[in-house]
Amino acid sequence: MEFVEKFKRMFSNVPMLGWLLGALTAVLIEYFFGYDYISYILQLPKIPVLFGTLIMLKEPMMIPSALAYDLIVYVLPILLVAKATAFATNPVAMLLEKIPLILSVILHLALFYLVLHVWAEINDYRELIVRLTMICIILTISINVINGYQGEFSCSHPGFMALGAYTCSILTLVLFVNDRMFGEALLPAWLGPWIFPFTLIAGGIVAALGSLLVAIPSFRTRGDYLAIISLAFLFIVKSAVENLQIIGGSRGMGGQPEYATLPVIFIWTILCIWIIHNFVTSIMGKALNAVRDDEAAAESMTVATRKTKMTAFMFGAFWAGIAGGLFAHVLSYINPGTFSINRLAEILAMVYFGGLNSIIGSIVGAVTINVLGEALRPLELFKWIIIPLILIFVMIFRPYGLISFKEINAKKLLRAKYKREQGA
Amino acid sequence: MSALLNVKDMTHYFGGLRAVNNYNLNIEPKQITGLIGPNGAGKTTIFNLITGVYTPTKGNIHLQGENIKGLDTNKIAAKGLGRTFQNLALWRHMNVLDHIKMAHYSQLTYGLFGSFFNTPACRRQESEIRENAYRLLELFGVDQFADQLVGNLPYGAQRRVEMARAMATNPKILFLDEPTAGMTPDELVQMIKIIRQVHETFGVAIFLIEHRMKFVMELCEFIQTLVFGEIIAEGPPEEIQNNPEVIEAYLGKEDVT
Ligand SMILES: Nc1ncnc2c1ncn2[C@@H]1O[C@H](COP(=O)(O)OP(=O)(O)OP(=O)(O)O)[C@@H](O)[C@H]1O
Ligand SMILES: [Mg+2]
């Protein structure tokens, strides 16, 4: 513990900019030397995909090499660069404090994207994980709006996702792809990526409309009954799709162009975080909390509780629809099974693990469960023992999840840090 | 029809139970009215009927000449009926400042779009509301708790937060359901002071339910006594105090301080 404290104090003067710079150095080292030199010397067969967890679990003999790789490529460069550049990054961070916050955020995000891009570029599998993880972030934050901020127990999220995925896929297939299901493309293919945002939004809107089927019962009931209704909704969507042969039935629907590239998904994820953050920190959005904590009091304080509930469901479902559309255009294939109860379990695990009523909690939850899920893949069946166990532990010690009831404060996050002078 | 609030022949049944029978009420602007009566007499039910939590089986309710019977509670509240609850009804995961801000809900004009994109209009209004909320917190002497969760506050302070919240809805009539329940004598004196102050500062009419005679007699200009859902006596405090029926039905049984 003392060591941790010491460590924290040592790096307390590093601003966010410094950490990003460190991370950039690390991914550049990996990009240029990872395979030819570092992996080779450590006798690793290739660059470890997810910090070497896969190889560690498959071949325990390789554990020292994999750990050494992590140390050389990630830990040391990040710490050293972050610390060593503090003298320069702090003044820059100070300067950035003077420009509008939004610009500063965009600059930091651009740098972060660069890091992510270089890291993901190393191999296709890594890139796929990054893309799917970001989609999970959208899903988790959006279900948090309903299950966390609004406090319902909704199980329909994969259903909303399916509505978005199918709507968006149908539109892009009809418009831009020559395929057997829908015939000739109506528009030239080069327009596709530009129209894609609109087809995504259309998917989101359909999902939002679909969510009314759950939102309206929620006026009169909540808790277990609503959970059952929302679960029924999920099954209705799934079996409806299974029986609609025109969109592939249970065989599914494939051939979606790969519009959901890394930058596209990144932008949508950031948009989602930004918009939902704005919403839940405004009075309009905090009405969700008021309705959750005491509906009668909310009504008496002029809060339109029905409108608020409807907004929560439709807004959450809209983003689930967007996530669904992105998902379909990552894998270029969807079928009803994609949106099953398994997916629900995964989404619920992410949101309850990460923390209710918190965007940052949802991001942490989505990333942890996703990366853990991938990293533990070699354990096969045991993965499904370990992840639930972790979940149970979190629930015991933190009933509302890892980071709950906490919002992002961008200003505080990005500001310069000068604690060193005080410490010395 | 000049009365601010007019309730006429209001009757309400819960299943077979007649909770309120032929109830009439007139509240003039700035008037402080008291409603007393033994436990289970139907006082809270009358509050709930007027504020729209239940719709009366029979009767009419007019606010400034406009019929408000059957409207949604939030609409009625927005028209100018603010209230507190007998058993505190605060939002447990929300801090004190957010409570007061939330009660401005019906005054929001920026809309969903504004809140999604944090438009300048949204920011402007949010900061106006924030300032107003701080003013209210100061007035009720709870500004030092602004960023604390309500559960962490002493009981008396929670009651004051609830009143500040009701005032944030900008009411024409403030309904107080046993504002001194569970308070110490000191807190009681303080509460009388606060209610007076609110009455003067905002010029709001007040309708309150109370058990403690001292409190009612000191504050109210007009008092109704309710027993088994029926008014058995009404009038100015001196009259009520000496009415034998009231003494028998109410004062005789209750421990009054
Ligand atoms: N929602 C309801 N459904 C059925 N009966 C109810 C309901 N609300 C109140 N009652 C009944 O109506 C009667 C009046 O209750 P009310 O709460 O209005 O009394 P009160 O005068 O406020 O009493 P107290 O001094 O204890 O607060 C009681 O017999 C109560 O049991
Ligand atoms: Mg009562």
Side-chain angles (χ1 to χ4, degrees), chain B residues 44 86 177-178:
Chain B
T44 302
Q86 182 167 356
D177 196 345
E178 305 200 15

Side-chain angles (χ1 to χ4, degrees), chain A residues 293-354:
Chain A
D293 286 353
D294 192 323
E295 197 173 333
E299 268 285 325
S300 294
M301 293 305 125
T302 73
V303 177
T305 54
R306 285 196 202 143
K307 185 185 148 200
T308 303
K309 285 180 181 177
M310 239 160 76
T311 309
F313 272 100
M314 293 182 76
F315 190 50
F318 174 84
W319 286 106
I322 298 276
L326 289 170
F327 185 83
H329 291 78
V330 168
L331 297 188
S332 294
Y333 173 72
I334 47 174
N335 67 11
T338 320
F339 309 104
S340 63
I341 202 120
N342 289 351
R343 174 83 48 195
L344 174 68
E346 201 180 289
I347 298 173
L348 288 178
M350 290 188 286
V351 69
Y352 286 98
F353 174 84

Side-chain angles (χ1 to χ4, degrees), chain B residues 176-189:
Chain B
L176 301 173
D177 196 345
E178 305 200 15
T180 68
M183 282 191 169
T184 62
D186 280 351
E187 286 175 324
L188 182 105
V189 174

Side-chain angles (χ1 to χ4, degrees), chain A residues 92-172:
Chain A
V92 177
M94 280 262 275
L95 275 179
L96 290 178
E97 277 174 35
K98 297 208 177 72
I99 64 171
L101 183 63
I102 184 101
L103 288 180
S104 169
V105 170
I106 289 173
L107 271 171
H108 281 87
L109 282 175
L111 195 57
F112 177 67
Y113 178 75
L114 192 64
V115 173
L116 202 64
H117 192 101
V118 176
W119 189 74
E121 190 123 282
I122 299 283
N123 73 34
D124 290 347
Y125 176 53
R126 220 186 235 184
E127 191 185 331
L128 187 66
I129 292 174
V130 172
R131 287 198 284 168
L132 292 179
T133 303
M134 284 196 289
I135 290 173
C136 281
I137 290 177
I138 301 181
L139 282 172
T140 312
I141 298 176
S142 62
I143 198 176
N144 208 340
V145 171
I146 302 171
N147 289 31
Y149 292 94
Q150 170 65 60
E152 307 283 359
F153 193 84
S154 163
C155 302
S156 329
H157 233 58
F160 302 149
M161 200 182 159
L163 289 179
Y166 271 93
T167 309
C168 182
S169 301
I170 291 168
L171 286 174
T172 50

Side-chain angles (χ1 to χ4, degrees), chain B residues 163-179:
Chain B
M163 261 174 83
R165 183 179 71 170
M167 284 316 295
T169 64
N170 208 2
K172 300 188 175 89
I173 309 176
L174 178 61
F175 286 59
L176 301 173
D177 196 345
E178 305 200 15

Side-chain angles (χ1 to χ4, degrees), chain B residues 79-104:
Chain B
K79 283 184 190 298
L81 300 191
R83 75 172 291 184
T84 65
F85 294 82
Q86 182 167 356
N87 309 307
L88 289 169
L90 296 165
W91 298 303
R92 67 193 183 108
H93 293 293
M94 223 188 262
N95 70 27
V96 170
L97 180 65
D98 282 343
H99 272 77
I100 316 298
K101 280 163 71 178
M102 181 53 62
H104 290 79

